[in-house]
Amino acid sequence: MFSSRVTSDLTPNRLSAAIARLREDRVEFDDLTESNPTRVGLRYPGRLLEALAQPSGLVYAPEPFGLPSARDAVAGDFRRRGMHVPRDRVVLTASTSEAYSLLFKLLCNPGDEVLVPAPSYPLFDYLAALDSVQPRPYHLEYHGEWSLDIDGLRRATTDRTRAVVVVSPNNPTGSYLKRAELEALATHCHANRLALIGDEVFAEYVLDAEPARTTSVLAQRQALTFSLGGLSKGLGLPQLKLGWMAAAGPEELVRPALERLEIICDTYLSVATPVQVGLPALLADGAAVRTGIRDRVTRNYRALVKAAPHFPSVDVLPAEGGWYAVLQVPAMQSEESLALQLLEHDRVLVHPGYFFDFPREAFLVLSLLPCPEAFDRAVSRLLRRVEATA
């Protein structure tokens, strides 16, 4: 009865089952997997959502790529970041996830492949499957810092490959795309007629990156390129459901891509009018939220880096940006077993590394969003548990 695009195995893993038991018993724990900025005590301007109540939000005048005023606002936000993106290259979506789905529909036939980074956010497998696309991993390598394995990416490319996905900064490694990596990627994509999709939703949350080395996918013009962003991460407003993509590359590729994308977007018309009308004000007034998030994740990352040297068994891998930190811990037991120990005995929830397709044991992934008091308390318990286990 049901499509094979949705998995038939709905059995929860051991960690999910343990979380459900604790919540059913109303047992409190510190959640170092929290990725929802609206639940971590950040301050939001009290009148921020008044922008959604403008009278023009009552008028339905659908535009496949979004209202011109909203697309102008996105183009202006790119200018704030030092990039020129014309309004006619901006496409509004309901979310970054929807942007991926639209691009997979644009670029891929059923069974075609997209190259995705590993380690990275596990959502790609689900998004690709729902559009009958095959995700094919290429690797990020760690040798004191994370780098893109361009030779491995070339080997992973087949005659069914249609696009390469880059996440910068990556979730969870926190590594930005470097200029030399972008040049090699763009050359490869151009030579193989592949689109380059840059997920840059965390781009403004810099931790330890060197700006002179990092870059946006929009900095090259060899390949058909799409840069993804949105309110969810950019302003800590996931509930407003507005994302965008900016197209770039050779005109002979961008023009037909946008013509076809317009047909797809016109079929769905998924973006709500009030949030489009309010977008200029949201981008202006919400900058304070972005600053709050940046201060929070920077503070927590610094606290983690300061605490870890007192526990020789734990190595905090360098993060250049984003909301997450990666710990390398002794492989004395499986990541899942360690995560269960932390949850059941120390009341601390973390992600085991295999959730993100780390190539080997043993890694733990932590969110940097929680309030400092809870973060410090949970990190202290985590470090003591790992050291005791080692």
Side-chain angles (χ1 to χ4, degrees):
M1 178 181 291
F2 301 112
S3 165
S4 61
R5 284 176 287 193
V6 180
T7 180
S8 58
D9 183 5
L10 303 179
T11 306
N13 60 47
R14 293 166 62 201
L15 188 58
S16 297
I19 295 168
R21 287 195 301 271
L22 291 180
R23 286 176 173 160
E24 184 177 349
D25 294 339
R26 298 186 179 180
V27 176
E28 294 185 356
F29 55 86
D30 290 318
D31 189 353
L32 289 183
T33 70
E34 181 61 78
S35 61
N36 183 345
T38 69
R39 295 195 301 214
V40 293
L42 293 167
R43 180 171 296 180
Y44 286 76
R47 302 177 65 178
L48 182 62
L49 297 187
E50 288 184 4
L52 303 178
Q54 298 180 55
S56 53
L58 292 171
V59 178
Y60 184 54
E63 295 276 352
F65 288 165
L67 297 179
S69 59
R71 295 161 69 200
D72 276 336
V74 173
D77 201 57
F78 275 108
R79 284 195 299 274
R80 175 185 63 81
R81 296 168 53 198
M83 290 178 278
H84 174 67
V85 177
R87 181 179 76 186
D88 63 3
R89 299 289 182 93
V90 174
V91 179
L92 301 187
T93 65
S95 65
T96 305
S97 294
E98 185 187 57
Y100 277 117
S101 182
L102 297 175
L103 290 175
F104 292 164
K105 290 176 174 64
L106 171 70
L107 299 167
C108 301
N109 290 317
D112 283 345
E113 299 171 351
V114 292
L115 301 185
V116 298
S120 195
Y121 190 52
L123 187 64
F124 292 131
D125 287 347
Y126 297 99
L127 291 173
L130 289 173
D131 277 299
S132 298
V133 173
Q134 297 297 319
R136 188 174 173 87
Y138 67 89
H139 294 287
L140 303 180
E141 297 183 326
Y142 182 73
H143 303 287
E145 70 172 5
W146 293 97
S147 61
L148 189 156
D149 178 9
I150 188 66
D151 290 331
L153 186 146
R154 293 187 183 110
R155 290 192 298 270
T157 303
T158 74
D159 59 0
R160 297 300 300 271
T161 306
R162 297 294 177 264
V164 178
V165 174
V166 176
V167 184
S168 179
N170 181 268
N171 171 7
T173 67
S175 51
Y176 280 89
L177 183 68
K178 308 304 188 293
R179 295 179 186 275
E181 293 171 335
L182 175 62
E183 182 177 346
L185 263 178
T187 299
H188 179 72
C189 288
H190 174 72
N192 292 274
R193 294 189 60 81
L194 307 178
L196 179 58
I197 302 172
D199 186 331
E200 301 181 328
V201 297
F202 291 110
E204 298 197 69
Y205 300 109
V206 180
L207 295 172
D208 275 333
E210 299 177 31
R213 296 182 64 207
T214 64
T215 189
S216 165
V217 293
L218 298 176
Q220 59 77 40
R221 290 293 183 269
Q222 292 188 65
L224 175 63
T225 303
F226 299 91
S227 170
L228 311 186
L231 295 183
S232 178
K233 306 302 188 297
L235 291 181
L237 294 168
Q239 71 276 38
L240 296 192
K241 305 304 296 179
L242 181 68
W244 51 78
M245 48 183 156
E251 179 65 21
E252 65 271 18
L253 295 178
V254 173
R255 185 176 61 257
L258 290 175
E259 290 171 350
R260 288 159 175 78
L261 195 56
E262 183 173 10
I263 295 172
I264 301 171
C265 292
D266 195 36
T267 302
Y268 290 96
L269 295 173
S270 58
V271 186
T273 299
V275 71
Q276 294 187 69
V277 171
L279 186 59
L282 289 167
L283 288 172
D285 298 340
V289 183
R290 180 170 53 240
T291 299
I293 294 173
R294 186 183 296 122
D295 291 346
R296 171 72 61 83
V297 299
T298 300
R299 183 269 172 206
N300 284 346
Y301 180 68
R302 299 281 183 267
L304 176 64
V305 170
K306 183 178 180 180
H310 300 287
F311 300 84
S313 299
V314 180
D315 187 15
V316 180
L317 302 192
E320 296 176 315
W323 290 2
Y324 296 91
V326 177
L327 304 184
Q328 186 167 13
V329 299
M332 307 292 290
Q333 57 184 313
S334 72
E335 294 165 337
E336 185 176 61
S337 295
L338 178 56
L340 280 168
Q341 235 181 8
L342 284 164
L343 180 61
E344 294 173 341
H345 297 283
D346 303 285
R347 298 296 185 249
V348 176
L349 176 62
V350 298
H351 284 305
Y354 78 87
F355 278 12
F356 299 85
D357 289 330
F358 278 83
R360 65 183 189 280
E361 302 272 2
F363 299 91
L364 301 176
V365 176
L366 282 59
S367 169
L368 298 172
L369 276 180
C371 68
E373 180 182 359
F375 184 84
D376 291 349
R377 180 176 62 235
V379 164
S380 177
R381 293 175 184 166
L382 184 160
L383 294 175
R384 289 199 303 268
R385 169 62 62 183
V386 173
E387 194 67 24
T389 302

